[in-house]
Amino acid sequence: MPMTITEKILAAHAGRDRVVPGELINARVDLVLGNDITAPVAIKEFNKIGATDVFDRQRIALVPDHFTPNKDIKSAEQSKIVRDFAGKHQIVNYFDVGRMGIEHCLLPEQGLVGPGDLVIGADSHTCTYGALGAFSTGMGSTDIAAAMALGETWLKVPESLKFVFAGELKPWVGGKDLILRVIGDIGVDGALYRAMEFTGPTIENLSMDGRFTMCNMAVEAGAKNGIIPPDEITRAYVEGRCRRPCEFYRSDPDAEYVKVFKYDASKIEPQVAFPHLPENSRAVSEAGHVEIDQSVIGSCTNGRIEDLRDAAKVLQGKKVHKNVRLIILPGTQDIYLQALGEGLIETFVRAGAAVSTPTCGPCLGGHMGILAGGERCIATTNRNFAGRMGHTESEIYLSNPAVAAASAILGRIAGPWEVE
Amino acid sequence: MKLQGRAWKFGPDVDTDAIIPARYLNTSDPAELAEHCMEDAEPSFPPAFQNGDIFVAGKNFGCGSSREHAPIAIKAAGVSCVIARTFARIFYRNAFNIGLPIFESPEAAEDVREGDKLAVDACSGIITNLTTGRKYKSAPVPPFMQEIIAAGGLINHVSNRLKDKE
């Protein structure tokens, strides 16, 4: 019986030879994640269960990253709940301000997730780790509380959709553009309850950072998980990071998919998603004249070193438009250090950008760049829902980092080729 | 379980930012969250939600973030259940886990008008529009979800399992 990579990982964690879509399974989890918004609710529920301790203090990751460094008293109180719980239960992977990063940049970087793992997190973008060939999915706080106590969770085995990309990418096109194009084609519920498997020669040549971006946004199509078959690029990334043994699963050639989508990747242009849904994507060249007030480069979608390099390439020797605030948020402390070492931070500051400590901050309208009514922002984040970044009458346009940088220079949505 | 209340209609793809904006996520207190429930989605905000009222929405209700604060806010606002064409998957799980009844019914999502009086039989999944007399079917609740409901939510379900393990 052939299986997809998603089915193989689920079967292995359920102690089964095989599973089929639609089946409910109880699966062992390798890592459970919570942040400063979701963990306090999980901790409250955990305390109701009557468990004396967590299932494994090494396999829980707590990352206060959304409203940190804390923006107000209430959010500080929420973080304190997480800090106290981490202390009480001696949680090994607790990352506080100064050591932290945006959770989905941080966990892979720290080697806490690897190929073949099953990870659940109380954050919808937990699906990011599919880029490593892991099964990972977002859940709510109560599910996370149960998993912290039991070390297992219940899952419905999803059907799979396959997306095959062939062809060489055009200049300035990356993972963000591929995934925005896909969501534009299938819609924000086009993969509802399903697995999205990304394969093909283009993906085989895509860097880890590009792969993280693609799997990160699987949830924006409603998917349960996004996943990429692990290969030598994956191996090079996890070697020296992952302390646990990894399993490199691949889908069987005759595995079943609900639908297979084929893309000529060489025809895809840099994309921009118009308000107020990620499915409103179109080519930057067809965006028309859209003036902007703010540009945000960062987030769990595009806050990694390659993203910052792309932005710096565009911003090098240029100035941010006088009407634009450019805010850049490196994803983790390590990424920040690497960007410092490569001179990227100096490029940003000289261009007139504000560079922040790692935080989810403006992406969810938390802090560090909230929009006023009527303002427009181009952002490398993942959601452009009405009011997501502030006032309900503000607008968010999603793009890759090079486009966000070029737009910051020109004061309107623009492709990087326009500032070369 | 019989649920009864007035319908509040919402469109497709109501996201969790609209249900409970992130600016209020610096608390996890249900009563406080309830005050801001649907703040960015309901034009007449603050709405006069009455105990038992029912949300009726289009496809993909609850898409976006994993925040359990969304179903918590709806439940704490006194809403008895949510009917939608489809639900986003994390919201779907969360609603069951915290004990907010939800029903997938494309027929009801299509036909019900704002302000209609509805009665829902949670066991059979039959929705009756008391204003028009029409009846709608909803997708049956999977047996495993029924177990969670019977246990009184996921936390009780897990508590029982932990006791079994001992």
Side-chain angles (χ1 to χ4, degrees):
Chain A
M1 178 83 190
M3 287 194 287
T4 65
I5 177 172
T6 294
E7 289 153 14
K8 286 183 185 182
I9 297 171
L10 294 179
H13 285 79
R16 304 260 298 269
D17 291 333
R18 69 184 188 93
V19 294
V20 292
E23 231 181 317
L24 282 172
I25 56 164
N26 229 1
R28 185 173 52 73
V29 296
D30 294 305
L31 190 74
V32 182
L33 164 73
N35 60 47
D36 53 319
I37 290 180
T38 59
V41 179
I43 290 164
K44 188 156 79 176
E45 297 304 315
F46 177 88
N47 290 335
K48 287 185 199 161
I49 293 174
T52 45
D53 212 345
V54 298
F55 82 104
D56 185 340
R57 63 189 189 89
Q58 316 249 13
R59 288 174 184 266
I60 289 169
L62 295 173
V63 189
D65 58 358
H66 279 58
F67 292 153
T68 56
N70 284 130
K71 65 171 183 132
D72 55 24
I73 296 169
K74 280 180 157 182
S75 63
E77 298 286 349
Q78 298 293 303
S79 286
K80 188 165 183 296
I81 294 171
V82 184
R83 190 176 299 118
D84 290 349
F85 181 85
K88 180 180 169 195
H89 293 279
Q90 295 179 287
I91 302 297
V92 177
N93 298 302
Y94 167 70
F95 299 91
D96 215 325
V97 170
R99 276 91 67 195
M100 54 73 79
I102 298 171
E103 50 198 345
H104 310 308
C105 297
L106 185 72
L107 299 195
E109 170 196 287
Q110 297 295 316
L112 295 174
V113 191
D117 275 358
L118 192 157
V119 179
I120 62 169
D123 188 277
S124 59
H125 293 109
T126 303
C127 54
T128 307
Y129 319 132
L132 291 164
F135 174 90
S136 62
T137 192
M139 291 187 184
S141 298
T142 300
D143 272 315
I144 270 23
M148 288 200 300
L150 293 172
E152 53 187 55
T153 192
W154 71 268
L155 290 160
K156 187 168 163 188
V157 179
E159 297 173 317
S160 289
L161 299 171
K162 183 150 95 168
F163 298 83
V164 186
F165 295 87
E168 203 176 321
L169 294 177
K170 285 187 176 164
W172 304 111
V173 173
K176 184 62 163 285
D177 307 293
L178 301 186
I179 192 66
L180 282 178
R181 190 62 258 136
V182 166
I183 299 167
D185 292 340
I186 68 172
V188 291
D189 62 346
L192 196 58
Y193 306 131
R194 289 170 169 162
M196 295 172 89
E197 187 174 324
F198 305 111
T199 66
T202 314
I203 305 298
E204 284 159 22
N205 288 309
L206 194 65
S207 67
M208 271 320 302
D209 285 3
R211 295 178 185 189
F212 283 125
T213 302
M214 287 191 77
C215 290
N216 172 275
M217 287 192 72
V219 68
E220 308 314 333
K224 182 166 202 148
N225 66 310
I227 198 158
I228 291 176
D231 55 14
E232 289 312 307
I233 290 176
T234 325
R235 195 179 300 279
Y237 181 87
V238 297
E239 256 173 13
R241 290 179 200 267
C242 276
R243 280 152 281 180
R244 278 186 273 120
C246 301
E247 281 274 1
F248 284 59
Y249 293 99
R250 297 191 77 88
S251 295
D252 293 320
D254 47 352
E256 276 189 38
Y257 296 89
V258 177
K259 204 167 173 192
V260 178
F261 299 82
K262 292 193 173 166
Y263 282 90
D264 179 352
S266 68
K267 294 217 166 78
I268 296 176
E269 290 182 46
Q271 302 285 307
V272 59
F274 274 53
H276 293 287
L277 285 175
E279 69 185 24
N280 298 333
S281 52
R282 59 177 94 160
V284 170
S285 59
E286 290 161 15
H289 187 87
V290 182
E291 289 180 4
I292 57 159
D293 303 285
Q294 181 167 293
S295 173
V296 169
I297 299 174
S299 84
C300 60
T301 312
N302 281 119
R304 299 182 182 81
I305 192 67
E306 273 186 19
D307 300 318
L308 300 184
R309 284 182 193 142
D310 278 355
K313 228 180 278 172
V314 177
L315 287 162
Q316 179 66 49
K318 302 278 195 322
K319 290 280 181 203
V320 171
H321 191 276
K322 64 178 171 50
N323 297 341
V324 177
R325 292 105 52 186
L326 171 59
I327 300 163
I328 301 181
L329 309 100
T332 67
Q333 291 287 87
D334 278 6
I335 294 168
Y336 202 130
L337 270 176
Q338 204 175 341
L340 265 177
E342 294 180 18
L344 312 183
I345 303 291
E346 181 166 353
T347 299
F348 298 149
V349 175
R350 288 200 184 281
V355 183
S356 159
T357 188
T359 179
C360 304
C363 171
L364 77 157
H367 62 152
M368 290 297 296
I370 305 303
L371 299 174
E375 287 192 328
R376 284 202 201 102
C377 177
I378 189 160
T380 67
T381 56
N382 40 56
R383 290 188 178 130
N384 53 353
F385 302 151
R388 169 85 175 169
M389 253 189 201
H391 199 285
T392 48
E393 280 160 29
S394 58
E395 292 182 349
I396 307 163
Y397 297 75
L398 305 175
S399 77
N400 75 30
V403 171
S407 305
I409 295 166
L410 293 176
R412 57 170 173 84
I413 292 180
W417 53 87
E418 296 182 62
V419 295
E420 273 172 333
Chain B
M1 186 171 43
K2 307 264 188 210
L3 309 164
Q4 198 165 317
R6 280 181 318 157
W8 291 80
K9 280 277 284 193
F10 298 97
D13 304 313
V14 173
D15 59 78
T16 53
D17 283 274
I19 298 170
I20 180 74
R23 57 187 180 274
Y24 302 119
L25 296 185
N26 53 6
T27 176
S28 45
D29 175 44
E32 219 176 319
L33 293 170
E35 284 173 29
H36 303 288
C37 179
M38 308 308 269
E39 183 161 323
D40 291 351
E42 173 52 43
S44 72
F45 192 87
F49 293 142
Q50 288 172 13
N51 249 2
D53 280 358
I54 293 171
F55 286 178
V56 181
K59 71 176 175 80
N60 204 23
F61 185 86
C63 63
S65 109
S66 70
R67 63 190 69 158
E68 203 161 288
H69 310 64
I72 290 173
I74 293 174
K75 193 181 175 196
V79 171
S80 64
C81 66
V82 183
I83 299 166
R85 174 174 282 273
T86 54
F87 290 92
R89 60 161 281 279
I90 306 178
F91 184 92
Y92 184 89
R93 270 185 98 110
N94 286 348
F96 279 98
N97 287 347
I98 67 141
L100 172 71
I102 56 172
F103 303 91
E104 284 192 336
S105 174
E107 291 173 41
E110 181 76 22
D111 195 58
V112 171
R113 299 279 162 261
E114 175 113 351
D116 283 358
K117 279 208 126 187
L118 304 178
V120 184
D121 182 333
C123 299
S124 68
I126 300 287
I127 301 160
T128 308
N129 189 330
L130 301 172
T131 306
T132 64
R134 292 200 192 97
K135 282 185 191 295
Y136 321 101
K137 275 185 229 147
S138 64
V141 176
F144 179 74
M145 303 308 250
Q146 289 180 19
E147 267 178 50
I148 292 180
I149 296 167
L154 183 69
I155 290 305
N156 287 346
H157 186 73
V158 172
S159 259
N160 295 342
R161 283 205 50 208
L162 274 180
K163 279 178 208 145
D164 291 347
K165 274 191 173 179
E166 278 164 10

